Structure formats: C-alpha cells, structure tokens
Amino acid sequence: MATYQALYRKYRPQTFDDVSGQLAVTQTLKTQLMTGKMSHAYLFTGSRGTGKTSCAKILAKAVNCLNPDNGNPCNCCEACRAIDSGSCMDVLEIDAASNNGVDNVRDLRDDAVYTPSQVKMRVYIIDEVHMLSISAFNALLKIIEEPPEHLLFILATTELHKVPATILSRCQRFSFRRISQEDIAARLQYVAYQENIDLDDSAARVLARLADGGLRDGLSLLDQCASATTGELTAQRVYACLGIAGEQTCGELMGYVASHDTKRALELFNRLYTEGKDLSAMLDEMACLTRDLLVMKTAGNGGITMLSGVADDQEVLQLTKALTSGELVRIMNLLQTTLAGFTRSASRRMDAELCIVQMCQPELDLDAKALNARLTRLEEQIKSGSFTVAVQPQKVQAASQDADDDRPPMPDDANAPPEQDVPAPVQADTPVGFWSDLCSGIRKELGPPTSGFFVATPNAPVQGFLVGDRLELRCGNDFTAVMLDKPAILEVVSRKASVLLNRPVKAVVVDMSAKPKSNPRMEQLMNFGRNHPDIVKIKE
C-alpha cells in the first residue's frame, strides 16, 4: 500500500510558473537564468508558506538543468531528477536551526571549495538562516563575498531583522509577499479538483482566510478538513472540523455587544462552548472582526481592500453604525489582553466570559479607554440626532382662588394651585414671536457677554413679562440681575421693544431670587398686580 503524502508536499511547485502569487520574484529569476546574469548569493525573505524554499529548490534545479525551458527546469533530465530525489550530493539543503554553530559553518566552507561531481554548480540552501550564531555568520562572510565560480548560496529566512547587515550587503534580496486570498482559493480549488475533493467556493474562501497569506497553511487545512468529512466540503463543515464559530456567529455575538445585551451574548457563548468551539479561535475571530469594523469605520469604502474576510457579509458590516471607533479600540484591547493571558490562565472559560461581560458593559471599567468609549458613543448619538436632551415644557400656573380672575398667579402666591403643563395666554396685541425677535435684536447690538443672557428658551436665565407698558426682565439669579441692571443695556432693550410693539415700552430688571421682607402694604400691592388684566407672560 502506497504511503499517503501530505498535499503541501505532493503539490509543491516544480517550476517558477507553478509558484502562486510571487510573479515579481519568479520573473526576475527567470530573466537572470536566461541572460546568464546570475548572482553568487541570494536571500529570500518573507512570512511562512509563501514559497521561499520551493523557489530555492527550483533555482537549484534551473542552474543545473541540461534542457532549461525559458528559465524553468525541465524536471526530466538526469540533474533535475537527482535533485528532486535528494540523491545529488552537490545540492545540499541545510537547516540553520539545528546546524547553527561555527563548526558547522567551517565544515560547510571547507567542503564548498571542491568542484561539483554530478552537476554544473554546487548549491547550498540554508533555511532559517537567522538562527545562525554571530560567530557562524562571521565564518560565512568571506566565502559568501568571494565564492568559487561553481558555488551558489541561497539563504532563506522569516526574520530579516536578525540577519547581520554584512550578510545582507553580499546577497541579492528577494521579498516574498503574502499570497492574496484569491490566489490561495484558486490554488485550493485546483488541488481539490486533482484530488477529487468536492470543495465549495465558500469553503475555499474560508480556508484561504484562515491561511493568512501562506499557501502551505491553506493546503494543510484543506488536507485536514477533507480527511475528516465525506461529501461536499462546505463552509459550515470547515467550521465544525476546525472548531471555529464562523463569521455569521461572530457577527451575531458582536451585535449583542453593540446593543449591550449581556444576557444573550453569554447565552450564545455558552452554546458555542458546549458545541466544543475553541475559545482561542473564537476570540481570535472576534478580534479579526473588530479589526475589520475599525478599518471600515475609519477608512470608509477605501478600506474594503484591507478587510481580512471575516466581515464580508453586508449585515455584519452594518455594525459599524452601532459601534464607535473608541468602542472598537476598547473591544480590541480587551480581546488581545484576554488572548495573551490564555497561556497562563487556570480557567479559559472564565476569562472569556469576563471579557464578554466587559465588552457588553463598558461602565464596569473606569479606566481612560472605557470612559473615552462611552463619551465617543454619546457624541456620535448627539451628532446623528438619535439622542436629544429632554427639555421640560414651560409651566404656567392655573387660575387663583378668585373664580372671576382667569390671569395666572405670581410664583410666590402661596394660595396658587399646583403648576400645570398648559400654554400661557398671549396678549392680544403682542406680535407672535415677539420675545424671540427681541432677543435676536438685542444680541446683535449688545454682543457678548451680555448677549448670552437673551435666549428665547424656557430655561433661559432671563424671561420677559409685559406689565402694561413695562417690560419686566425677570432674572433667575442675582448675578444676572446685576449684569443687566445697567442704563445702557436697559435703554437698548426698551428701544428694541418699543419698535417691535409700536408703542413706548420701558424695560426694568426684576430679581426673582431675592426674598423681600414681609410687608402688609407690599402684599396688598402685589395682590393688586396679580389681578391686573394687563399683566401677561410673553409666550412664543
């Protein structure tokens, strides 16, 4: 019985044209091979699973191929078959992680001077070269700088910053970018067709997103899911096989967070936990979704190309309207902190539940980020008009005990009935909007700071009342009364009111906060004023 071979090994690229998503690198290498302008040392950098080692092996075959085809190895000649089978002693692949000592590099340097016995060029492929020690790098310097004509070095690393500058300056550097989700999905569909795997398009997109730019990871995930299920491989089966929640479920959970529905959020989390979903994967998906929402919130439609794929659904993207940027930043910090603490946590479930409660109830945190999130949410609600401050309607008092008198009593009348929310009577000859027009004219002529007192609102510090031909500026506090009780100000108010009413009007200031001394004669005069038919409050 033949031994099963992993998909990422079985479908390793054999020519430069087979490499996915690295056209700039492969085209340059093919041109150098066709023109003969080869370098003596190459450095391939990039994240895992992007084709560094594969391109290194293809390059080793191409420089030794007896029948090259436009820079590609033929894979049929004796040299290509020997390199593929690993029997060629002149092409060596060295793992720097386990051969990182200076003695290993010295042995390599001593052997490198000998001419190849089977092929044209002796090739050393040093994988994870950043793992070499400093002394090993120093031992490698001289031979990389001036190697024999028959020698070619190909270095590969995922951590370029750990490679000394002295090595970098002696190599041609090629950067392997992350492979796009579209290229990974297309390659997965090709492999699935070759292996008779019924792979759904949605499942291919999910696997491509989880691969995170590495084709090898995508092939490994496809291998795992295909061996765990029969029939069509759909997105839901991928979720079940890999123990993840999926974008729809994450969107539902984020919706509960946005509406601060802690009960439903915990119920959904408990259901996912009971179904065996991996907590780390679940919170990681939530973090990816939060990141996508934050990108869409800040970059708008221009951020569509930057999405990771978790928030492809339009219903999920609608959450950007329910969450502010401050809230998304706070949620992201909570998720990252919780994920980082999983490695040393005694109860991951408890940590995850606490994280969800804190996301749903920002008032539980009193740090600056939580307060900022709550303030930004309030600001956006005010800007959008969904939040308004409730203004208590102006109250007027009902009629006094005198059945024949229908005028409103004064505020200090002890016998007045409780206040009622009914509109105040308007004097027949008072123009509609008189107080509003008067305040507007006063503000234009007086300017700040006096103009700030004249606002035509129920809670304004100054309210105007007509008593015959006298306009009472009733002030709610003594400070306002002192500021307005000035001849220049009263002259302006009197003149403006006279013009609007088309009759002489005199403005006076009345301090409503002052408590007058008890005086029987004054009480008698005030009772007369209350019952006078010419006293009426100005009503907009």
Side-chain angles (χ1 to χ4, degrees):
M1 181 177 180
T3 304
Y4 180 77
Q5 191 176 21
L7 293 180
Y8 78 88
R9 294 183 59 196
K10 185 176 181 180
Y11 290 93
R12 182 187 291 273
Q14 298 300 317
T15 64
F16 288 119
D17 294 338
D18 292 339
V19 179
S20 300
Q22 307 296 346
L23 182 61
V25 175
T26 57
Q27 188 62 42
T28 303
L29 292 175
K30 287 171 60 178
T31 303
Q32 289 186 357
L33 287 164
M34 288 187 291
T35 59
K37 298 179 180 180
M38 295 289 299
S39 175
H40 62 277
Y42 291 90
L43 178 62
F44 294 164
T45 69
S47 58
R48 69 184 190 279
T50 53
K52 300 184 297 298
T53 306
S54 297
C55 283
K57 291 183 176 181
I58 296 172
L59 181 59
K61 289 190 296 183
V63 296
N64 292 306
C65 183
L66 301 178
N67 303 303
D69 181 18
N70 293 326
N72 288 310
C74 67
N75 294 315
C76 297
C77 66
E78 183 180 352
C80 290
R81 290 199 304 268
I83 294 173
D84 282 336
S85 63
S87 61
C88 182
M89 302 301 296
D90 297 317
V91 177
L92 300 178
E93 184 176 356
I94 302 172
D95 179 20
S98 57
N99 300 278
N100 55 4
V102 64
D103 293 333
N104 301 112
V105 176
R106 284 174 181 169
D107 294 339
L108 180 152
R109 185 181 60 186
D110 294 339
D111 295 338
V113 296
Y114 297 107
T115 57
S117 59
Q118 296 177 268
V119 292
K120 293 183 293 185
M121 295 193 68
R122 195 176 185 89
V123 182
Y124 284 95
I125 302 173
I126 306 179
D127 202 6
E128 301 299 334
V129 70
H130 64 273
M131 300 292 288
L132 291 178
S133 62
I134 298 299
S135 56
F137 274 124
N138 292 333
L140 195 62
L141 281 178
K142 188 62 178 178
I143 194 169
I144 284 187
E145 183 177 13
E146 297 178 358
E149 292 183 359
H150 62 267
L151 191 60
L152 175 64
F153 281 99
I154 306 176
L155 314 180
T157 180
T158 56
E159 300 184 33
L160 181 63
H161 60 281
K162 293 184 178 180
V163 180
T166 51
I167 297 292
L168 296 177
S169 63
R170 290 165 170 80
C171 302
Q172 281 193 9
R173 183 171 61 189
F174 289 86
S175 297
F176 286 68
R177 66 180 184 89
R178 291 180 180 273
I179 305 175
S180 65
Q181 294 186 17
E182 292 77 11
D183 291 340
I184 295 178
R187 183 66 176 176
L188 293 179
Q189 290 283 18
Y190 168 77
V191 173
Y193 175 78
Q194 296 294 326
E195 295 292 319
N196 295 321
I197 300 173
D198 191 2
L199 180 63
D200 185 63
D201 289 339
S202 60
R205 289 195 299 270
V206 171
L207 292 173
R209 172 173 60 83
L210 295 175
D212 193 23
L215 184 55
R216 183 174 63 233
D217 290 358
L219 289 172
S220 298
L221 292 173
L222 174 62
D223 205 353
Q224 177 182 348
C225 295
S227 60
T229 183
T230 58
E232 184 181 11
L233 186 57
T234 62
Q236 294 301 324
R237 290 190 174 182
V238 171
Y239 295 146
C241 178
L242 300 180
I244 57 180
E247 60 266 19
Q248 290 290 341
T249 305
C250 285
E252 183 181 357
L253 182 57
M254 186 63 73
Y256 294 146
V257 172
S259 60
H260 304 292
D261 194 341
T262 310
K263 177 178 179 294
R264 292 189 177 182
L266 289 176
E267 289 176 349
L268 177 58
F269 170 81
N270 182 67
R271 177 169 63 83
L272 295 174
Y273 180 80
T274 305
E275 293 175 357
K277 304 300 182 184
D278 183 73
L279 295 183
S280 297
M282 188 191 312
L283 294 188
D284 186 65
E285 280 190 287
M286 289 287 292
C288 292
L289 174 59
T290 306
R291 179 257 179 196
D292 285 357
L293 294 177
L294 185 59
V295 169
M296 290 298 298
K297 189 77 174 180
T298 54
N301 292 331
I304 294 178
T305 58
M306 295 183 284
L307 298 182
S308 64
V310 180
D312 282 343
D313 192 277
Q314 292 299 320
E315 295 181 0
V316 177
L317 289 177
Q318 293 299 318
L319 291 172
T320 55
K321 299 179 180 179
L323 292 166
T324 65
S325 299
E327 288 178 306
L328 290 171
V329 171
R330 185 186 70 88
I331 292 172
M332 177 66 78
N333 289 327
L334 279 172
L335 291 170
Q336 289 181 335
T337 303
T338 305
L339 284 170
F342 271 2
T343 57
R344 57 184 184 276
S345 174
S347 175
R348 290 190 173 189
R349 178 180 184 179
M350 188 181 301
D351 291 346
E353 289 175 338
L354 179 60
C355 177
I356 291 175
V357 171
Q358 288 179 316
M359 287 192 297
C360 293
Q361 300 180 10
E363 62 273 12
L364 297 178
D365 295 329
L366 297 179
D367 58 354
K369 292 180 181 178
L371 294 176
N372 177 65
R374 296 165 63 185
L375 287 175
T376 53
R377 183 182 184 89
L378 182 61
E379 289 173 352
E380 290 201 3
Q381 288 178 342
I382 294 175
K383 288 180 182 179
S384 63
S386 60
F387 175 84
T388 56
V389 180
V391 179
Q392 186 178 4
Q394 187 175 1
K395 296 181 179 180
V396 298
Q397 296 174 329
S400 63
Q401 293 179 346
D402 188 357
D404 297 332
D405 183 17
D406 58 351
R407 300 300 178 186
M410 294 296 288
D412 57 347
D413 189 355
N415 298 322
E419 295 181 344
Q420 300 178 1
D421 293 336
V422 296
V426 179
Q427 191 168 330
D429 58 348
T430 301
V432 178
F434 162 71
W435 180 242
S436 178
D437 295 340
L438 179 61
C439 290
S440 177
I442 293 172
R443 287 198 303 271
K444 290 180 180 179
E445 184 163 342
L446 291 180
T450 308
S451 59
F453 295 104
F454 292 92
V455 183
T457 60
N459 297 326
V462 179
Q463 299 290 341
F465 286 79
L466 277 176
V467 183
D469 291 332
R470 185 176 68 170
L471 176 61
E472 291 186 359
L473 303 178
R474 298 185 179 180
C475 304
N477 54 72
D478 56 350
F479 172 75
T480 306
V482 172
M483 292 293 295
L484 299 184
D485 195 9
K486 299 176 181 178
I489 297 176
L490 295 177
E491 189 275 330
V492 172
V493 176
S494 301
R495 175 163 44 83
K496 293 287 185 181
S498 300
V499 171
L500 291 175
L501 295 176
N502 198 24
R503 68 175 188 269
V505 176
K506 181 180 180 181
V508 295
V509 174
V510 179
D511 185 3
M512 302 302 296
S513 64
K515 296 182 179 180
K517 297 181 180 180
S518 178
N519 189 321
R521 179 58 178 167
M522 183 61 68
E523 290 292 335
Q524 182 180 1
L525 292 175
M526 290 181 66
N527 289 332
F528 173 78
R530 295 190 189 101
N531 299 326
H532 198 281
D534 292 333
I535 300 178
V536 62
K537 180 181 179 181
I538 298 172
K539 180 69 176 178
E540 292 298 324

